C-alpha cells in the first residue's frame, strides 16, 4: 500500500521508522512517501499560507500549493485513494 503525506514539516514523519509503520515498511507492506508542500509553490519565498476568507486572526493553507501537490500525487498512482483532513472537529482546549 502506498501512502503519500503532504506537510510543511515532512521531517516530522521520520519518526515512523521507529513505529509499527516502520516495521511494515521494512516488510514491504507499506510504501510511505512524504512531500514538502513548499515544493509546490511558485513564489521565491515558498509561501503556503493564505489570508482567511472574511478576515480575522490566523492563517490558512493556500489552495494552489495544496491542489498542485494533490494533482501531482494522484498522477503517480494507478488506483489512488484520497484522504484529506480538515478542521471541522470539536476544538480541544
Amino acid at each position: 500500500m502506498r501512502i503519500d503525506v503532504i506537510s510543511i514539516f515532512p521531517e516530522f514523519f521520520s519518526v515512523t521508522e521507529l513505529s509499527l509503520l516502520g516495521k511494515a515498511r521494512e516488510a514491504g507492506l507499506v510504501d510511505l512517501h512524504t512531500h514538502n508542500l513548499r515544493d509546490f509553490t511558485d513564489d521565491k519565498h515558498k509561501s503556503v499560507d493564505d489570508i482567511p476568507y472574511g478576515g480575522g486572526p490566523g492563517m490558512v493553507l493556500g489552495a494552489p500549493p495544496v491542489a498542485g501537490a494533490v494533482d501531482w500525487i494522484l498522477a503517480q498512482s494507478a488506483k489512488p485513494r484520497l484522504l484529506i483532513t480538515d478542521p471541522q472537529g470539536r476544538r480541544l482546549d
Side-chain angles (χ1 to χ4, degrees):
M1 171 193 321
R2 178 179 170 132
I3 300 173
D4 290 89
V5 178
I6 304 168
S7 174
I8 57 173
F9 304 109
E11 302 83 17
F12 175 80
F13 294 93
S14 64
V15 73
T16 60
E17 296 296 326
L18 307 173
S19 64
L20 287 175
L21 187 55
K23 290 181 181 183
R25 289 177 77 179
E26 288 176 11
L29 300 172
V30 173
D31 187 15
L32 180 68
H33 298 264
T34 57
H35 307 278
N36 190 337
L37 185 60
R38 296 184 191 283
D39 293 341
F40 298 92
T41 62
D42 57 3
D43 66 320
K44 70 178 183 177
H45 300 292
K46 302 285 186 184
S47 301
V48 296
D49 296 335
D50 201 354
I51 299 169
Y53 182 75
M59 297 297 284
V60 296
L61 289 177
V66 174
V70 170
D71 288 345
W72 187 85
I73 291 168
L74 292 176
Q76 305 300 310
S77 178
K79 274 178 71 175
R81 291 184 182 175
L82 183 61
L83 172 68
I84 299 177
T85 59
D86 65 38
Q88 291 184 338
R90 287 183 292 151
R91 182 174 177 167
L92 178 62
D93 292 325

